[in-house]
Amino acid sequence: MRIYQRTLSTWVQFSGTGLHGGLPSFARILPAPPDTGIVFRRTDIGADIPATIENVVDTAYATVLSAGGAKISTVEHFLSALCGMEVDNAIVEVDGPELPILDGSALRVAEAIDFVGTEESNVRRRFLWVYGKEKLHLNGSMVAVSQSEGLDILATVDFPGTLIGKQWLKFTLTPGSFLKEIAPARTFVLREQIDALWAAGLARGGSLENAIVVEGDRVHNEEGLRFHDEFVRHKILDLIGDLALLGRPVHGFFLAVRPGHTLNRSLVEYLSGFDGPGHEAETSCTEGVRLQVTA
Ligand SMILES: [Zn+2]
């Protein structure tokens, strides 16, 4: 992993549609000085919302952040692209309440960062190192964390009776591996879940252009899958985006069994020492995690 903090060399921009609100959305990622972190800026109402675990207010269908009464929704794939490409500092401007979903993956954002490149500062990154072991459980999902020299993730998904079935993948983060192996993996939904989402007023911007729709042993998307195990790759993409809410890079090995945003949120709260309202996960302490932040 890189030692010094980085930001983008210049700005990049994206236009598209918000996944849940279905409204047009325009976003621009701007360079920022060291120790800014990732900050979402609502240009329509003039509000800044730092991407930190303290500002997470919802994880049910998308990660929603709020600060000073302003909200920004569906931040997870932008955060994953920034964290995956090892961008420490950036301002993400957006002209409404939700980021554009783009193609349902992190590919366009990661490619844009790769295209313009990043600039190194002379300020060191403050890594969070995990020592010891810990496990968190929630509704049949589990995430276990232990020591590692970098950021390593082994994730599984299990959707019996569907094309997805059981998948697992081990991934070690570098910007190159993120761009190639994880960023292209799209979000997915089971066909039978769609009516309930629409009835709840969600996924109004959802389409075959920005999600894989799975029904039994087939996908509805004409172009098919980008990887045979695209589903578990997207779960890794989501976990990387949620770990970005630590506000600093992490060294650890994460074993994530059927992970989801709510469990990931509890994990990040635990790692950051934040005693927030998302602590629904029941922790079964083994040796306990000892954390060390290096300057
Ligand atoms: Zn996702």
Side-chain angles (χ1 to χ4, degrees), residues 102-257:
L102 305 175
D103 70 352
S105 78
L107 185 60
R108 278 181 55 194
V109 181
E111 279 182 337
I113 295 168
D114 184 58
F115 181 75
V116 299
T118 54
E119 271 178 18
E120 193 164 88
S121 71
N122 56 8
V123 179
R124 294 175 81 92
R125 305 176 88 195
R126 277 175 267 277
F127 290 100
L128 192 151
W129 294 77
V130 174
Y131 296 101
K133 293 176 183 167
E134 182 60 287
K135 268 189 218 165
L136 283 84
H137 296 267
L138 180 68
N139 300 334
S141 299
M142 187 274 285
V143 60
V145 56
S146 57
Q147 190 171 344
S148 172
E149 288 303 305
L151 175 55
D152 297 300
I153 296 172
L154 196 166
T156 76
V157 292
D158 186 7
F159 287 82
T162 74
L163 174 84
I164 305 169
K166 284 187 200 320
Q167 302 186 346
W168 70 273
L169 185 72
K170 181 162 185 290
F171 175 73
T172 296
L173 181 69
T174 67
S177 61
F178 179 83
L179 182 61
K180 213 167 126 211
E181 306 292 336
I182 300 299
R186 293 162 294 172
T187 192
F188 58 94
V189 63
L190 301 181
R191 173 67 191 85
E192 59 263 33
Q193 295 172 327
I194 293 177
D195 292 339
L197 285 170
W198 283 344
L202 296 164
R204 276 176 264 177
S207 75
L208 292 170
E209 306 295 311
N210 53 40
I212 307 167
V213 177
V214 181
E215 185 165 11
D217 61 359
R218 71 189 186 98
V219 296
H220 281 255
N221 311 62
E222 265 179 34
E223 73 278 20
L225 296 175
R226 294 178 178 176
F227 305 93
H228 73 90
D229 55 358
E230 187 166 355
F231 308 97
V232 72
R233 288 172 193 258
H234 188 80
K235 289 293 185 182
I236 293 173
L237 185 159
D238 279 339
L239 178 55
I240 291 169
D242 289 330
L243 288 171
L245 295 164
L246 284 166
R248 57 167 65 100
V250 58
H251 281 206
F253 173 69
F254 296 84
L255 169 63
V257 178

Side-chain angles (χ1 to χ4, degrees), residues 50-78:
T52 62
I53 189 64
E54 291 86 347
N55 290 336
V56 176
V57 291
D58 193 8
T59 48
Y61 294 99
T63 300
V64 182
L65 306 176
S66 176
K71 277 190 183 179
I72 183 70
S73 183
T74 322
V75 297
E76 56 268 33
H77 299 163
F78 271 70

